[in-house]
Amino acid sequence: MSSACRQEEIINQHVVPEERPGAVILEIQGLFSKLVPLECILCYLLDANCSLFLAVVVGQSRLLISYQSADIHCGNCLLEAWYFLWLTDLLRFRWRQHRVAETRTSLLWNGDQAAGMARLVTASQLHWPMLHPVRMGFRSQGKSKEAEIKRINKELANIRSKFKGDKALDGYSKKKYVCKLLFIFLLGHDIDFGHMEAVNLLSSNRYTEKQIGYLFISVLVNSNSELIRLVNNAVKNDLGSRNPTFTGLALHCIANVGSREMAEAFAGEIPKILVAGDTMDSVKQSAALCLLRLYRTSPDLVPMGDWTSRVVHLLNDQHLGVVTAAASLITTLAQKNPEEFKTSVSLAVSRLSRIVTSASTDLQDYTYYFVPAPWLSVKLLRLLQCYPPPDPAVRGRLTECLETILNKAQEPPKSKKVQHSNAKNAVLFEAISLITHHDSEPNLLVRACNQLGQFLQHRETNLRYLALESMCTLASSEFSHEAVKTHIETVINALKTERDVSVRQRAVDLLYAMCDRSNAQQIVAEMLSYLETADYSIREEIVLKVAILAEKYAVDYTWYVDTILNLIRIAGDYVSEEVWYRVIQIVVNRDDVQGYAAKTVFEALQAPACHENLVKVGGYILGEFGNLIAGDPRSSPLTQFHLLHSKFHLCSVPSRALLLSTYIKFVNLFPEVKGTIQDVLRSDSQLKNADVELQQRAVEYLRLSTVASTDILATVLEEMPPFPERESSILAKLKKKKGPSTVTDLEEAKRERSADVNGGPEPAPASASTASTPSPSADLLGLGAAPPVPTGPPPSSGGLLVDVFSDLPSAVAPLAPGSEDNFARFVCKNNGVLFENQLLQIGLKSEFRQNLGRMFIFYGNKTSTQFLSFTPTLICSDDLQANLSLQTKPVDPTVDGGAQVQQAVNIECVSDFTEAPVLNIQFRYGGTFQNVSVKLPITLNKFFQPTEMASQDFFQRWKQLSNPQQEVQNIFKAKHPMDTEITKAKIIGFGSALLEEVDPNPANFVGAGIIHTKTTQIGCLLRLEPNLQAQMYRLTLRTSRETVSQRLCELLSEQF
Amino acid sequence: MWDLPGPGHEPMSPASAGGLSTTAPPRKPWGFRNFKIIYRRYAGLYFCICVDVNDNNLAYLEAIHNFVEVLNEYFHNVCELDLVFNFYKVYTVVDEMFLAGEIRETSQTKVLKQLLMLQSLE
């Protein structure tokens, strides 16, 4: 206790000499091998008045900064501290004369300290004066750089000659020069020799020589295989050494290099050292972490075995340092092999319990500012987060621990030092994170939440930040959601008053996380008002969040429309296309809000300056629903038009294109403005516009308004059908923006919770959300947001315009999706449902005999509304008409809601045919025109007559049909499971007879039959050979006619 | 972590540093991928530590202080020149306290005892 106090004083008074520039980067968890944009760190440190950047980099990661002629980049070499120093000084000129003098003195001092370093210091003496501002000036012109290189090269030449000299160097000199090389390397120069000497040092018996050797290897050696073998040899010797210091050096080297070669050589050895009874504690610590490093680099090379259970028991070790190291190792291993390390849970809990209940003096060395073993507690709590809540017995003990930690947070601090509160809160936050992870103890969750609530107003920025962050995860738990909500006022206050932008950002995140139906209006309002002053960097994210919350929790859609329009007004630039697409989708889909939306956008558009996004939304909504407010003389059709057109010249091309579509929609909505609009379309600025899209629209719309009758206009310019519901594209965008790791979990949790609210946005394949952003100019009517509804296509595609010009509104729709599949299903059966969408169901029932058949088609109206002008048509190509004759009677043109009508088709097969007839159905439903096409499953095999025959006959006929044109063979992959019974059923359903005991191989199927047509009869033989191993089939058809063989083979191949 | 300023100092946000603030770096990289940087300032010295994004902020903030206290004890009132010219010793201290990217030993007494033992071998 007293020692801690004393140290503190020293630190405060002396450790940190005034204005002593410098920085140390410790590499933790292999960061720098992965981190690329180090410029960012550099810029930041530069900016933060840091003038010396010294990076101590341990581990495999070589690091990091290489500064060359004012150009910072990441290199493979180690640090270049001095370069950084020069860089900063160039920019800041903060060095003063006396500081340089002071530096010199201390250099000399250091020089006396270690004789081996004397030369090194001399080299540095040359180095330091360059920091003088005047010299800096020279340096910036490139002169001192040369001087420095000259000096370094001289030194390198000297070392080289020593190494190459006749006299064998003694260990001491070797160490001295290797150390110098290392220093020169650290200065940022390439070192291409000395590796052998460093390796030689490894086999020295003196600690200092060995240590420099290992350091050189750890810092400089990359996977130079030749060298690694030699190094591994030395490491192996030291691992087995009886001197624990040497073993430690070897282990540190392995842990720092951690290459695959080392893993191959030592992964088997280290677990033995770790669990051996006579290993010293400090070696155990190193061995545990060394193993961890090897497991991280090459998990496949670290075999699990007996040692795992003994490692778990290290958690019980007397030495807390060993426990700390073991906890790190076990946490990592348990993440991959939870079963193997399950026993660690109860051990960790009992160890934790002993720590948290101990008095602050009990643990002596491991008490840090009156907090018992804070780092070990954090490690143990982290280990427990690898597992679900433990068994009841252990659980009770754990709950006690967690309660104790929460209680301690309430006690008055034992020291005023920030170190004390930091250490205490480190444990507290980790405990809260475990409580949230278990998410099973409502009592603890609420207590945790209240504790964090206290931190929200703490004077420490760090604590406020961390509390907000931690609360975000608590908000997603059903037990603590309400408790989090009680802090809403504080969080909103933080948003308004917090000075640090990163804390404000966390406050926004938390507001988003705690939002539900009860507080949505308040939160959205606060976010909107914050948006006016928010930092530019986070505006887009806030916009997305507001848009999502407004939609998700809207009770009243007028509020939703208001919110989004406000959003566009306040932060129009940050409103992405997804946001305004979404508001239009919602307005189109909800009748109750359309009138209000039209009125509101009309009012918003009257502002002298409004954002282009508002013009887009306004144009779209007035084009669709302008008629709803046209009754008011203040928003008469002409006023609406003039209002929109006054914005026209300020807009970009896509918006103008959209406005042109609005105008043509106006022509339909308000016949009285037709003349005005035609004048606008006819004007040179439109008809001869340089932009081809605008010009085309103007030409086509003008023509359309002139040529088409009112009826056609009404059809073409019909109100948009509802958009299909799917995942909000905004949510998808937010996820993308935030990155998968940060938002998704929270988002998923929120979604589950709110699934009952407004139906929640439906989870949909990601592709659906990307499909919703076509460029406005690509879509002829600028209707943008949705792909066509899969049922009767809405009157939006280019096809319809063409129809209008030809004045013939009955083109055949393309085949409905899925029609091919349905068609294939009917090849082997005669009855079933052929087609179904939200409106219509088509069923079939058919029978065939010889070359004749009859098919009943049933049309079911699934809606409650009448279908009008219901016209099914059978369409056959000329080819098909010659070979297949179909006769049918027209059906009643109205189909009542819920009713079914039936149509009979008489079929005669005149000759063999390949194509299938198409059934096209057109009707009107609720004012919209529907057009559906499906393939009618009348296929050649329907006219099969099965023929039984004996094996002998079969093969005789088979041989008769040996002409190459008569045989068609197909080898194909099985699309369905290869089940014998199903295959038999399919062959019989296909129409041929299934001949048993004909083929010598019982696994094969053979069939025979006759196709009847009016003109002729065609004998058919078929043979199907399954190959179970390859999941393949070979199908062979032999008939007397080539086309028949071909067609039957096609049809039957599709079935398996 | 970029938003955890050292104790007892005003927040060192790029904007407040003046001078170069017009070229303030984008703030995003500080939560770079799955890492964050936790730093603590001792006058002009910045001690930075890079950890996984879900690691415990305060624990590593104090790990830095623990490390600095050891340096101070070991070098008797440490200054950055001690670190520069005894760089090989600094590596030893780091290896004693942090290994393989994890905390190895937290007891100052134990670390110093080991360091003195190693010193005696020189």
Side-chain angles (χ1 to χ4, degrees), chain A residues 591-622:
Chain A
D591 307 349
D592 48 341
V593 78
Q594 290 162 354
Y596 180 80
K599 182 163 158 283
T600 320
V601 291
F602 179 76
E603 280 161 8
L605 280 170
Q606 282 174 333
C610 46
H611 196 271
E612 189 167 334
N613 279 336
L614 182 66
V615 178
K616 288 183 191 165
V617 175
Y620 195 106
I621 289 181
L622 290 181

mmCIF file of all heavy atoms in Angstrom, chain A residues 591-622:
data_model
loop_
_atom_site.group_PDB
_atom_site.id
_atom_site.type_symbol
_atom_site.label_atom_id
_atom_site.label_comp_id
_atom_site.label_asym_id
_atom_site.label_seq_id
_atom_site.Cartn_x
_atom_site.Cartn_y
_atom_site.Cartn_z
ATOM 1 N N ASP A 591 -53.505 3.979 -48.267
ATOM 2 C CA ASP A 591 -54.522 4.915 -48.751
ATOM 3 C C ASP A 591 -54.730 6.070 -47.774
ATOM 4 O O ASP A 591 -54.932 7.209 -48.169
ATOM 5 C CB ASP A 591 -55.876 4.214 -48.907
ATOM 6 C CG ASP A 591 -55.767 2.979 -49.752
ATOM 7 O OD1 ASP A 591 -54.698 2.817 -50.368
ATOM 8 O OD2 ASP A 591 -56.730 2.188 -49.786
ATOM 9 N N ASP A 592 -54.651 5.746 -46.455
ATOM 10 C CA ASP A 592 -55.087 6.744 -45.493
ATOM 11 C C ASP A 592 -54.167 7.952 -45.426
ATOM 12 O O ASP A 592 -54.547 8.989 -44.891
ATOM 13 C CB ASP A 592 -55.205 6.099 -44.101
ATOM 14 C CG ASP A 592 -53.981 5.276 -43.749
ATOM 15 O OD1 ASP A 592 -53.244 4.907 -44.687
ATOM 16 O OD2 ASP A 592 -53.759 5.028 -42.562
ATOM 17 N N VAL A 593 -52.970 7.836 -45.959
ATOM 18 C CA VAL A 593 -52.031 8.925 -45.778
ATOM 19 C C VAL A 593 -51.826 9.724 -47.066
ATOM 20 O O VAL A 593 -51.200 10.760 -47.077
ATOM 21 C CB VAL A 593 -50.689 8.370 -45.247
ATOM 22 C CG1 VAL A 593 -49.888 7.750 -46.351
ATOM 23 C CG2 VAL A 593 -49.912 9.451 -44.524
ATOM 24 N N GLN A 594 -52.419 9.229 -48.170
ATOM 25 C CA GLN A 594 -52.110 9.836 -49.465
ATOM 26 C C GLN A 594 -52.534 11.299 -49.567
ATOM 27 O O GLN A 594 -51.773 12.142 -50.038
ATOM 28 C CB GLN A 594 -52.736 9.001 -50.585
ATOM 29 C CG GLN A 594 -52.026 7.661 -50.740
ATOM 30 C CD GLN A 594 -52.823 6.614 -51.497
ATOM 31 O OE1 GLN A 594 -53.989 6.843 -51.827
ATOM 32 N NE2 GLN A 594 -52.210 5.467 -51.760
ATOM 33 N N GLY A 595 -53.741 11.571 -49.105
ATOM 34 C CA GLY A 595 -54.226 12.947 -49.178
ATOM 35 C C GLY A 595 -53.362 13.868 -48.344
ATOM 36 O O GLY A 595 -52.951 14.947 -48.785
ATOM 37 N N TYR A 596 -53.035 13.401 -47.131
ATOM 38 C CA TYR A 596 -52.209 14.222 -46.250
ATOM 39 C C TYR A 596 -50.837 14.453 -46.864
ATOM 40 O O TYR A 596 -50.313 15.574 -46.852
ATOM 41 C CB TYR A 596 -52.068 13.540 -44.888
ATOM 42 C CG TYR A 596 -51.231 14.334 -43.927
ATOM 43 C CD1 TYR A 596 -51.786 15.419 -43.240
ATOM 44 C CD2 TYR A 596 -49.893 14.043 -43.740
ATOM 45 C CE1 TYR A 596 -51.016 16.174 -42.379
ATOM 46 C CE2 TYR A 596 -49.114 14.790 -42.880
ATOM 47 C CZ TYR A 596 -49.672 15.856 -42.201
ATOM 48 O OH TYR A 596 -48.912 16.599 -41.359
ATOM 49 N N ALA A 597 -50.280 13.385 -47.442
ATOM 50 C CA ALA A 597 -48.959 13.507 -48.050
ATOM 51 C C ALA A 597 -48.980 14.532 -49.169
ATOM 52 O O ALA A 597 -48.091 15.382 -49.277
ATOM 53 C CB ALA A 597 -48.489 12.154 -48.569
ATOM 54 N N ALA A 598 -50.008 14.468 -49.993
ATOM 55 C CA ALA A 598 -50.096 15.401 -51.109
ATOM 56 C C ALA A 598 -50.158 16.835 -50.582
ATOM 57 O O ALA A 598 -49.454 17.731 -51.071
ATOM 58 C CB ALA A 598 -51.325 15.078 -51.951
ATOM 59 N N LYS A 599 -50.969 17.032 -49.551
ATOM 60 C CA LYS A 599 -51.125 18.379 -48.999
ATOM 61 C C LYS A 599 -49.794 18.857 -48.411
ATOM 62 O O LYS A 599 -49.377 19.997 -48.642
ATOM 63 C CB LYS A 599 -52.202 18.327 -47.910
ATOM 64 C CG LYS A 599 -52.533 19.642 -47.268
ATOM 65 C CD LYS A 599 -53.871 19.516 -46.534
ATOM 66 C CE LYS A 599 -54.023 20.563 -45.449
ATOM 67 N NZ LYS A 599 -53.284 20.280 -44.239
ATOM 68 N N THR A 600 -49.141 17.968 -47.698
ATOM 69 C CA THR A 600 -47.907 18.374 -47.026
ATOM 70 C C THR A 600 -46.794 18.687 -48.020
ATOM 71 O O THR A 600 -46.095 19.684 -47.872
ATOM 72 C CB THR A 600 -47.424 17.259 -46.082
ATOM 73 O OG1 THR A 600 -48.557 16.702 -45.437
ATOM 74 C CG2 THR A 600 -46.478 17.802 -45.058
ATOM 75 N N VAL A 601 -46.634 17.849 -49.013
ATOM 76 C CA VAL A 601 -45.558 18.154 -49.963
ATOM 77 C C VAL A 601 -45.875 19.432 -50.723
ATOM 78 O O VAL A 601 -44.972 20.221 -51.020
ATOM 79 C CB VAL A 601 -45.273 17.013 -50.978
ATOM 80 C CG1 VAL A 601 -44.671 15.820 -50.287
ATOM 81 C CG2 VAL A 601 -46.497 16.627 -51.752
ATOM 82 N N PHE A 602 -47.160 19.616 -50.998
ATOM 83 C CA PHE A 602 -47.525 20.847 -51.702
ATOM 84 C C PHE A 602 -47.104 22.059 -50.879
ATOM 85 O O PHE A 602 -46.514 23.010 -51.399
ATOM 86 C CB PHE A 602 -49.042 20.862 -51.953
ATOM 87 C CG PHE A 602 -49.514 22.102 -52.654
ATOM 88 C CD1 PHE A 602 -49.308 22.265 -54.013
ATOM 89 C CD2 PHE A 602 -50.150 23.117 -51.951
ATOM 90 C CE1 PHE A 602 -49.720 23.411 -54.666
ATOM 91 C CE2 PHE A 602 -50.575 24.261 -52.587
ATOM 92 C CZ PHE A 602 -50.361 24.416 -53.948
ATOM 93 N N GLU A 603 -47.375 21.991 -49.583
ATOM 94 C CA GLU A 603 -46.989 23.117 -48.726
ATOM 95 C C GLU A 603 -45.470 23.245 -48.638
ATOM 96 O O GLU A 603 -44.914 24.344 -48.698
ATOM 97 C CB GLU A 603 -47.580 22.937 -47.318
ATOM 98 C CG GLU A 603 -49.046 23.344 -47.269
ATOM 99 C CD GLU A 603 -49.771 22.773 -46.056
ATOM 100 O OE1 GLU A 603 -49.103 22.197 -45.178
ATOM 101 O OE2 GLU A 603 -51.007 22.902 -46.018
ATOM 102 N N ALA A 604 -44.808 22.103 -48.505
ATOM 103 C CA ALA A 604 -43.345 22.155 -48.354
ATOM 104 C C ALA A 604 -42.692 22.729 -49.607
ATOM 105 O O ALA A 604 -41.684 23.440 -49.532
ATOM 106 C CB ALA A 604 -42.805 20.760 -48.076
ATOM 107 N N LEU A 605 -43.280 22.419 -50.753
ATOM 108 C CA LEU A 605 -42.682 22.881 -52.005
ATOM 109 C C LEU A 605 -42.786 24.398 -52.152
ATOM 110 O O LEU A 605 -42.110 24.994 -52.982
ATOM 111 C CB LEU A 605 -43.361 22.205 -53.203
ATOM 112 C CG LEU A 605 -42.901 20.778 -53.507
ATOM 113 C CD1 LEU A 605 -43.801 20.140 -54.541
ATOM 114 C CD2 LEU A 605 -41.464 20.787 -53.999
ATOM 115 N N GLN A 606 -43.661 24.997 -51.330
ATOM 116 C CA GLN A 606 -43.817 26.445 -51.485
ATOM 117 C C GLN A 606 -42.667 27.232 -50.882
ATOM 118 O O GLN A 606 -42.541 28.426 -51.126
ATOM 119 C CB GLN A 606 -45.149 26.879 -50.876
ATOM 120 C CG GLN A 606 -46.273 26.525 -51.835
ATOM 121 C CD GLN A 606 -47.631 26.784 -51.282
ATOM 122 O OE1 GLN A 606 -47.830 26.757 -50.073
ATOM 123 N NE2 GLN A 606 -48.572 27.038 -52.160
ATOM 124 N N ALA A 607 -41.823 26.562 -50.101
ATOM 125 C CA ALA A 607 -40.650 27.248 -49.567
ATOM 126 C C ALA A 607 -39.806 27.751 -50.730
ATOM 127 O O ALA A 607 -39.697 27.078 -51.759
ATOM 128 C CB ALA A 607 -39.839 26.298 -48.703
ATOM 129 N N PRO A 608 -39.237 28.939 -50.585
ATOM 130 C CA PRO A 608 -38.483 29.506 -51.716
ATOM 131 C C PRO A 608 -37.322 28.606 -52.145
ATOM 132 O O PRO A 608 -37.060 28.466 -53.334
ATOM 133 C CB PRO A 608 -37.981 30.843 -51.173
ATOM 134 C CG PRO A 608 -38.204 30.813 -49.695
ATOM 135 C CD PRO A 608 -39.274 29.827 -49.419
ATOM 136 N N ALA A 609 -36.626 28.035 -51.188
ATOM 137 C CA ALA A 609 -35.532 27.140 -51.569
ATOM 138 C C ALA A 609 -35.812 25.785 -50.967
ATOM 139 O O ALA A 609 -35.865 25.645 -49.758
ATOM 140 C CB ALA A 609 -34.212 27.670 -51.029
ATOM 141 N N CYS A 610 -36.044 24.823 -51.826
ATOM 142 C CA CYS A 610 -36.206 23.506 -51.223
ATOM 143 C C CYS A 610 -35.265 22.518 -51.889
ATOM 144 O O CYS A 610 -34.848 22.690 -53.030
ATOM 145 C CB CYS A 610 -37.639 23.015 -51.245
ATOM 146 S SG CYS A 610 -38.483 23.222 -52.784
ATOM 147 N N HIS A 611 -34.935 21.509 -51.133
ATOM 148 C CA HIS A 611 -33.938 20.548 -51.587
ATOM 149 C C HIS A 611 -34.459 19.730 -52.748
ATOM 150 O O HIS A 611 -35.653 19.464 -52.849
ATOM 151 C CB HIS A 611 -33.564 19.615 -50.426
ATOM 152 C CG HIS A 611 -32.313 18.864 -50.686
ATOM 153 N ND1 HIS A 611 -32.311 17.652 -51.329
ATOM 154 C CD2 HIS A 611 -31.019 19.160 -50.419
ATOM 155 C CE1 HIS A 611 -31.067 17.233 -51.441
ATOM 156 N NE2 HIS A 611 -30.263 18.130 -50.890
ATOM 157 N N GLU A 612 -33.556 19.331 -53.598
ATOM 158 C CA GLU A 612 -33.959 18.584 -54.783
ATOM 159 C C GLU A 612 -34.689 17.287 -54.412
ATOM 160 O O GLU A 612 -35.616 16.889 -55.104
ATOM 161 C CB GLU A 612 -32.727 18.269 -55.621
ATOM 162 C CG GLU A 612 -33.120 17.693 -56.966
ATOM 163 C CD GLU A 612 -31.963 17.653 -57.946
ATOM 164 O OE1 GLU A 612 -31.037 18.469 -57.814
ATOM 165 O OE2 GLU A 612 -32.012 16.791 -58.837
ATOM 166 N N ASN A 613 -34.246 16.655 -53.330
ATOM 167 C CA ASN A 613 -34.942 15.437 -52.917
ATOM 168 C C ASN A 613 -36.405 15.707 -52.619
ATOM 169 O O ASN A 613 -37.266 14.863 -52.838
ATOM 170 C CB ASN A 613 -34.277 14.837 -51.683
ATOM 171 C CG ASN A 613 -33.060 14.024 -52.052
ATOM 172 O OD1 ASN A 613 -32.968 13.542 -53.178
ATOM 173 N ND2 ASN A 613 -32.135 13.893 -51.131
ATOM 174 N N LEU A 614 -36.695 16.910 -52.097
ATOM 175 C CA LEU A 614 -38.083 17.257 -51.820
ATOM 176 C C LEU A 614 -38.843 17.406 -53.131
ATOM 177 O O LEU A 614 -40.002 17.000 -53.242
ATOM 178 C CB LEU A 614 -38.144 18.554 -51.003
ATOM 179 C CG LEU A 614 -39.550 18.971 -50.612
ATOM 180 C CD1 LEU A 614 -40.156 17.958 -49.652
ATOM 181 C CD2 LEU A 614 -39.557 20.352 -49.994
ATOM 182 N N VAL A 615 -38.173 17.981 -54.131
ATOM 183 C CA VAL A 615 -38.831 18.124 -55.434
ATOM 184 C C VAL A 615 -39.170 16.745 -55.989
ATOM 185 O O VAL A 615 -40.249 16.527 -56.538
ATOM 186 C CB VAL A 615 -37.921 18.895 -56.409
ATOM 187 C CG1 VAL A 615 -38.586 19.010 -57.772
ATOM 188 C CG2 VAL A 615 -37.591 20.264 -55.854
ATOM 189 N N LYS A 616 -38.260 15.809 -55.800
ATOM 190 C CA LYS A 616 -38.517 14.456 -56.312
ATOM 191 C C LYS A 616 -39.725 13.837 -55.610
ATOM 192 O O LYS A 616 -40.644 13.330 -56.258
ATOM 193 C CB LYS A 616 -37.292 13.566 -56.092
ATOM 194 C CG LYS A 616 -36.133 13.900 -56.996
ATOM 195 C CD LYS A 616 -35.004 12.907 -56.725
ATOM 196 C CE LYS A 616 -33.721 13.335 -57.404
ATOM 197 N NZ LYS A 616 -32.570 12.615 -56.892
ATOM 198 N N VAL A 617 -39.684 13.880 -54.280
ATOM 199 C CA VAL A 617 -40.803 13.305 -53.534
ATOM 200 C C VAL A 617 -42.096 14.029 -53.902
ATOM 201 O O VAL A 617 -43.132 13.404 -54.164
ATOM 202 C CB VAL A 617 -40.545 13.408 -52.011
ATOM 203 C CG1 VAL A 617 -41.750 12.934 -51.239
ATOM 204 C CG2 VAL A 617 -39.335 12.587 -51.633
ATOM 205 N N GLY A 618 -42.019 15.372 -53.943
ATOM 206 C CA GLY A 618 -43.202 16.167 -54.271
ATOM 207 C C GLY A 618 -43.725 15.825 -55.644
ATOM 208 O O GLY A 618 -44.923 15.615 -55.841
ATOM 209 N N GLY A 619 -42.826 15.754 -56.615
ATOM 210 C CA GLY A 619 -43.243 15.453 -57.977
ATOM 211 C C GLY A 619 -43.933 14.105 -58.050
ATOM 212 O O GLY A 619 -45.006 13.963 -58.655
ATOM 213 N N TYR A 620 -43.354 13.138 -57.399
ATOM 214 C CA TYR A 620 -43.933 11.800 -57.465
ATOM 215 C C TYR A 620 -45.303 11.773 -56.803
ATOM 216 O O TYR A 620 -46.275 11.266 -57.364
ATOM 217 C CB TYR A 620 -42.996 10.801 -56.774
ATOM 218 C CG TYR A 620 -43.310 9.366 -57.099
ATOM 219 C CD1 TYR A 620 -42.496 8.643 -57.948
ATOM 220 C CD2 TYR A 620 -44.434 8.748 -56.573
ATOM 221 C CE1 TYR A 620 -42.774 7.331 -58.259
ATOM 222 C CE2 TYR A 620 -44.728 7.430 -56.881
ATOM 223 C CZ TYR A 620 -43.898 6.725 -57.723
ATOM 224 O OH TYR A 620 -44.188 5.430 -58.029
ATOM 225 N N ILE A 621 -45.366 12.338 -55.601
ATOM 226 C CA ILE A 621 -46.620 12.230 -54.849
ATOM 227 C C ILE A 621 -47.731 13.046 -55.500
ATOM 228 O O ILE A 621 -48.867 12.576 -55.629
ATOM 229 C CB ILE A 621 -46.390 12.647 -53.382
ATOM 230 C CG1 ILE A 621 -45.560 11.560 -52.692
ATOM 231 C CG2 ILE A 621 -47.707 12.861 -52.652
ATOM 232 C CD1 ILE A 621 -45.278 11.807 -51.255
ATOM 233 N N LEU A 622 -47.428 14.240 -55.980
ATOM 234 C CA LEU A 622 -48.472 15.028 -56.638
ATOM 235 C C LEU A 622 -48.903 14.341 -57.931
ATOM 236 O O LEU A 622 -50.080 14.349 -58.290
ATOM 237 C CB LEU A 622 -47.981 16.447 -56.896
ATOM 238 C CG LEU A 622 -47.813 17.302 -55.632
ATOM 239 C CD1 LEU A 622 -47.343 18.709 -55.995
ATOM 240 C CD2 LEU A 622 -49.111 17.386 -54.839
#
